[in-house]
Amino acid sequence: MRNFIILFGLVLFISGCANVPQYQENSDWSHSEVAHLHFYRTKRMFHALNPEKPFFFVDDKMAGSLGTGETFTVRVLPGTHTLSVREPFMFSPGYESGRFEIEVEASKHYYIRYSMDASGVYAYGSTAGVYGTAKFGTADKESFDNRE
């Protein structure tokens, strides 16, 4: 019975990973008719050794995930788009830690910054730890280039 419960939990976990809708770019879009969203994660060392990476969504469809100092670019049509980030839970998207809307224009580049910063220390009995706060929003090209 115990093995059945473990197997059932594993199947649920794997099927949950497969149900996340993926963002799809249209290969017919020309460079002049799209906006470029450059997602990046800062080089801050807090949380850098965590093997799980946060997941980024464009219009509630997963566009990618980022490790410390990494980037990826998504092309979108002009207009208003909803961007969000979900913190990882067992290598799958977990709770949403940031969301905002952005109005984009064709042929322009937008820089989307994510950082996980230490924000406090907690103690529980004889154990202590550090917890962080995610920050998600727009940035400028210089910050993108320096991963700040």
Side-chain angles (χ1 to χ4, degrees), residues 3-98:
N3 289 340
F4 175 75
I5 293 171
I6 292 171
L7 181 61
F8 183 71
L10 184 61
V11 168
L12 282 177
F13 172 73
I14 291 171
S15 65
C17 295
N19 290 332
V20 177
Q22 302 291 312
Y23 181 79
Q24 297 288 324
E25 293 181 6
N26 189 328
S27 59
D28 295 336
W29 294 342
S30 71
H31 182 75
S32 63
E33 68 180 340
V34 297
H36 296 82
L37 303 177
H38 302 280
F39 289 82
Y40 76 98
R41 185 170 172 184
T42 62
K43 292 181 184 177
R44 303 240 169 96
M45 293 312 294
F46 178 74
H47 223 252
L49 297 177
N50 186 348
E52 295 186 304
K53 301 174 181 182
F55 297 89
F56 297 87
F57 290 77
V58 175
D59 299 327
D60 295 322
K61 294 180 181 161
M62 188 165 64
S65 63
L66 291 173
T68 303
E70 293 181 339
T71 70
F72 71 85
T73 301
V74 174
R75 299 178 325 146
V76 296
L77 291 174
T80 302
H81 296 278
T82 301
L83 307 180
S84 62
V85 60
R86 291 183 171 273
E87 297 304 319
F89 177 73
M90 295 180 64
F91 299 97
S92 294
Y95 72 92
E96 187 174 272
S97 62

